[in-house]
Amino acid sequence: MEKEEKFLQNSNEIIRQAYKALNYRIVETSARTNNAIVFFSGNGLYFPNTKEVFENVILNSDRYEWENIAKNKKIRKYYKLIIFVRDIYKQWYIDGINTEINTRDKVIEFLCKETKGYKVSVCGNSAGGYMAVLCGVKMNAEKIFSFSGQFDIMDKISNENPLIFQHKDDGKYFSLISLISGSKFPDERIFYFFPGKSDADNRQYELIKNTCINTFRIDEAEHGKTIDSYCYPFLLTAKKEKLIKLAEAHKGKTIQKKIVSRRIVPFFVRLKRFVSKIILFR
């Protein structure tokens, strides 16, 4: 454990060298739309926090979360521009993504520039969900998707999170509650999915339950686990009005992830998946 904690220190030469790279990827598809989506990697980008894993995942594989989801044909037909970003220090983007874009404000500025003229959606899981909300509000995104994302990271200020600890006195963006409540941004554009049996996620939910954020309490217990992966392409391309209506129908309720699937994924797709499972297990 001690080895893992020390690995994330900003004096680590391996990470410092990787921090000089872009740590973002921009993909332009053949879609005939002006829709763009930004995918934020979370702290599950690589694990455990060791030299061997970091080299394999970041240096050799150049991994970003959400890459496989973004390869889906439905995503590629809906979004003309796809941007992936990652925080290789896994510290809630407090030092941005690279040596040039080295603050969260600079990340926002960079993304605003790259997505100018587009209708923007943002998406992330856990720490990526936190960043999706922050950037989405600042960018006035059309849709914000947060899966198990945090709205307040004050409890992360400790020696176990060295970069956050160094910034403990400035307090900027440690809580997003006032940003959401105090801005002209309509928080109904935020779609928040969280596992209802997770204590950590329920603590975050308590902070925003009285806002207009669209919440989906999923009948799951593990942080970061909400809906089935095959649902994402349909969810991320759904009309905002449909998602708001779905959230209102399940407001205050705990729902099973299969319910989300039934309401989002077309019947023929679910049927095809069901038949494939039967054939597979024969």
Side-chain angles (χ1 to χ4, degrees), residues 40-55:
F40 296 90
S41 294
N43 290 351
L45 179 62
Y46 60 89
F47 185 82
N49 302 324
T50 62
K51 174 179 179 292
E52 294 73 21
V53 173
F54 184 86
E55 289 179 337

Side-chain angles (χ1 to χ4, degrees), residues 74-87:
K74 191 169 183 66
I75 295 286
R76 296 287 174 128
K77 187 176 181 180
Y78 187 85
Y79 290 107
K80 176 68 174 177
L81 187 70
I82 302 174
I83 302 178
F84 303 94
V85 294
R86 65 188 180 196
D87 169 18

Side-chain angles (χ1 to χ4, degrees), residues 60-119:
N60 299 332
S61 299
D62 193 26
R63 179 177 184 259
Y64 292 83
E65 288 187 340
W66 301 94
E67 286 180 292
N68 289 334
I69 298 296
K71 291 176 182 177
N72 184 274
K73 291 182 180 179
K74 191 169 183 66
I75 295 286
R76 296 287 174 128
K77 187 176 181 180
Y78 187 85
Y79 290 107
K80 176 68 174 177
L81 187 70
I82 302 174
I83 302 178
F84 303 94
V85 294
R86 65 188 180 196
D87 169 18
I88 59 173
Y89 279 109
K90 304 202 300 186
Q91 300 288 318
W92 286 265
Y93 291 79
I94 199 160
D95 275 350
I97 59 176
N98 60 41
T99 52
E100 297 295 325
I101 308 172
N102 57 6
T103 68
R104 286 170 292 191
D105 281 323
K106 288 183 180 180
V107 173
I108 295 165
E109 181 182 354
F110 162 72
L111 292 174
C112 284
K113 180 181 178 181
E114 293 296 328
T115 60
K116 186 177 181 180
Y118 287 90
K119 287 184 178 179

